Amino acid sequence: MATKAPRLEGKREVETERRFWMRLSSPKIADALIALSLWFSMSALVLWRANEIGVGYDEPIYSGYALKYLEWLQRLVESWSVGRLLDPFRPEVIDFYWHAKDMHPPIPKLLAAIGYWLLTPLLGSDFAGMRSGTAILFGAMLASIYWFGREQLTRAGALFAAFAVAFMPRLFTDAHFLTMDMPVTATTVIGTLLLLRAVEQPNWKRVVAAIFGVGMAFASKANGFLIVPAAVVYILLRKGLQFSNGNLKLQVKAWLKPLLPQAVIVAVVGAGAMVFLFTTWLWLWVDPINRFREYFTFHAKHFVVHTYYLGQLYPITDKSGNIAVPTPWHYPFVMTLVTVPTITLLLSLIGMGLTIFRWKQSPPLTKIAVISYFVQVAPFLLASTPKYNGIRLFEPAFPFLGILAGYVFGLLANWLVQFVRERARHLVSEPRLLIGALGVFLLAPAAHSTLTIHPFGLSYYNALVGGTKGAANRWGFEVTYWGVNLLSVIPFLNKLPEGTKVLVYPGAWCAYTDFYKNAGILRRDIEIMGNPKDLVKADFVVFQGSQTELAIAKLADPLLGDLLWTLWKETEPAYAAIHDGIVIVGVYSRDTIKRTLERVKSKI
């Protein structure tokens, strides 16, 4: 017996090891590893390149709030460590640290604060640390698309969907910024997928997860609230409208009755998400009803922000400053058609068509994707809703197009496997290699555009309008916005002699040049001016190719506006960041300005 015991023990060890590797190689574990790999790799890719794109107009505001949140978190730890549990929650303390002048909920800024606190030492960059929360949410969104899509879209389709979203250049670029747009996009997608799972396969754990996911969206930006109407439309239409001849009242009752359990789940999740919002946004605690009303009133009556669309500055105002012609209702649809990579757009439109025309046979994920796209853009079809800065205001709609593209790819993959097994087995031994090659082939143009256009991703337009050049010159779409590309011309400015006077337009850029000086990126001995009246003193003028800003300049000062337009369109800059033959941001010398100004005056 003594001689057999070691053998028995060895067999048990081998069996235990075999079971471990079997569990590790199980489909569910493999899917989890794929999802985690997507999360980590795409977040890391964004963080790796975070320092290559400049600060946007809103980022200093949100980073300021994030630092205030961080101070409050540190005060919380210090207060609790000495037993002063209620001190951080006194109204005056909350108002000092959680003041919400920006009227946006806390999650993006709170994640930025935590990311800055924990990751800055690891990343070695304050800039990347402050932007890390957005990057992590971007990766989490892609992981969730794969995880929740792997059964309904097939694994190939779900993986394709995740990369189709990752390689939308506008979305990838927005993942680099501390703003509200990518965070609400990511949390909207995650919350929608969690809520769909709770509706389709209800249990208390899934309902709690959905409350947390939808609550994160509510607490990111107002767009997050659109998850609930999308879910309501989904449960009403999930099995289609089935009215037959007879008593219509009875038919409607028979149709609505089975929907009650799903409606209750949506209501519970919506209520729980509201509790999550109020719990995490301490600013509301001081005066909940009035401050929540103030939050929604602000967004319902947002101040006018212009956009340049199809060669015209909108909205068009009358002499009194009232809106005479709003931005056209079709703006969100047209911007979708021209900013999603062409192959991804084609597959998503096919997926949308297949889902609509084969509604009863379509998987729940594609149904909610179709509904969510239209619900997310619906408010921006209204004349009263502002439309500006590209697609960012309705950005949560776009990942649902990626899901629809993945659905079509999943169908193609299934057909390809069946075709190979039935007719081409002698030519292809492993169909999955063929599917992988097809996926790479279809995604390659989008991936190439996304990775090579950086850091000019806000200027991306697809092949349907001839890229950035065609969009600007032929169609009259806005080239860029947010001022993020000012960073691209700083190397030139840093080579200028001490005391060089540089006029920046718009004058608000002075705040961002100060930021770069304080960060040690721009030399302090370069004199930056922001008043257009100082044009005669300037050695150089710097402005970006934003037709919105140039058109506004012309409204305020026709001569200045004409000068800037002519410089941008017709003259050679001393230095410029150029993409697709279009000046994204340019530096123009005093001699060039003088000659151009004389030419402009001669035309008046």
Side-chain angles (χ1 to χ4, degrees), residues 106 307 370:
T307 191
V370 170

Side-chain angles (χ1 to χ4, degrees), residues 173-194:
T173 303
D174 278 348
H176 292 75
F177 303 126
L178 169 53
T179 57
M180 307 296 105
D181 307 300
M182 179 48 66
V184 76
T185 297
T187 53
T188 293
V189 172
I190 295 169
T192 298
L193 298 181
L194 286 168

Side-chain angles (χ1 to χ4, degrees), residues 12-161:
R12 284 175 186 158
E13 289 176 358
V14 170
E15 182 64 22
T16 301
E17 187 175 346
R18 187 179 70 83
R19 288 177 180 172
F20 169 77
W21 286 110
M22 284 180 65
R23 284 196 299 270
L24 194 62
S25 61
S26 69
K28 194 167 186 179
I29 296 295
D31 286 333
L33 291 174
I34 291 171
L36 289 172
S37 298
L38 271 170
W39 189 347
F40 175 79
S41 61
M42 296 309 297
S43 297
L45 177 61
V46 171
L47 288 172
W48 174 46
R49 309 189 76 175
N51 289 329
E52 297 173 9
I53 187 165
V55 61
Y57 286 164
D58 296 336
E59 282 192 281
I61 299 170
Y62 299 137
S63 61
Y65 284 115
L67 291 174
K68 281 289 186 183
Y69 286 9
L70 180 55
E71 290 174 14
W72 182 87
L73 289 171
Q74 292 168 338
R75 178 168 182 160
L76 177 72
V77 172
E78 292 170 4
S79 298
W80 283 14
S81 66
V82 296
R84 292 187 285 115
L85 303 183
L86 298 180
D87 175 72
F89 302 100
R90 289 184 290 119
E92 63 271 20
V93 173
I94 289 174
D95 277 343
F96 180 77
Y97 290 106
W98 290 78
H99 180 64
K101 188 177 180 181
D102 66 324
M103 283 296 150
H104 284 302
I107 289 299
K109 295 167 283 186
L110 194 57
L111 289 177
I114 295 170
Y116 179 79
W117 189 3
L118 298 178
L119 295 181
T120 296
L122 177 66
L123 298 171
S125 165
D126 290 357
F127 213 27
M130 190 62 76
R131 289 172 159 180
S132 60
T134 307
I136 289 168
L137 282 176
F138 178 66
M141 173 183 67
L142 302 177
S144 71
I145 289 172
Y146 174 78
W147 180 256
F148 288 101
R150 69 196 197 282
E151 294 175 355
Q152 299 182 49
L153 307 179
T154 74
R155 287 184 174 85
L159 197 59
F160 186 93

Side-chain angles (χ1 to χ4, degrees), residues 141-338:
M141 173 183 67
L142 302 177
S144 71
I145 289 172
Y146 174 78
W147 180 256
F148 288 101
R150 69 196 197 282
E151 294 175 355
Q152 299 182 49
L153 307 179
T154 74
R155 287 184 174 85
L159 197 59
F160 186 93
F163 281 116
V165 175
F167 296 136
M168 291 183 183
R170 296 280 184 129
L171 268 63
F172 180 80
T173 303
D174 278 348
H176 292 75
F177 303 126
L178 169 53
T179 57
M180 307 296 105
D181 307 300
M182 179 48 66
V184 76
T185 297
T187 53
T188 293
V189 172
I190 295 169
T192 298
L193 298 181
L194 286 168
L195 181 53
L196 178 67
R197 178 65 62 88
V199 166
E200 291 294 330
Q201 302 171 25
N203 64 38
W204 71 268
K205 292 180 181 178
R206 290 181 181 133
V207 170
V208 170
I211 288 172
F212 180 79
V214 176
M216 287 283 286
F218 280 18
S220 292
K221 197 181 178 187
N223 307 60
F225 286 89
L226 295 174
I227 293 175
V228 173
V232 170
V233 174
Y234 171 75
I235 63 173
L236 289 173
L237 299 181
R238 62 198 289 261
K239 293 186 178 179
L241 299 176
Q242 301 177 3
F243 296 146
S244 58
N245 294 330
N247 190 316
L248 182 59
K249 186 176 180 180
L250 291 176
Q251 291 294 330
V252 171
K253 186 176 180 181
W255 169 57
L256 289 176
K257 189 175 180 181
L259 305 181
L260 185 59
Q262 287 78 28
V264 170
I265 290 172
V266 172
V268 168
V269 170
M274 285 296 293
V275 172
F276 183 94
L277 170 64
F278 275 82
T279 301
T280 55
W281 200 359
L282 270 65
W283 176 72
L284 295 175
W285 291 16
V286 176
D287 189 4
I289 295 175
N290 288 329
R291 290 192 171 181
F292 188 72
R293 185 190 300 122
E294 184 182 351
Y295 163 53
F296 257 94
T297 301
F298 173 83
H299 291 287
K301 299 179 180 178
H302 198 285
F303 54 87
V304 172
V305 182
H306 291 88
T307 191
Y308 194 80
Y309 176 58
L310 297 177
Q312 173 66 53
L313 183 69
Y314 290 102
I316 300 173
T317 55
D318 58 24
K319 293 181 180 179
S320 302
N322 299 314
I323 295 176
V325 182
T327 309
W329 65 269
H330 45 71
Y331 178 85
F333 292 134
V334 173
M335 291 301 291
T336 297
L337 292 175
V338 301

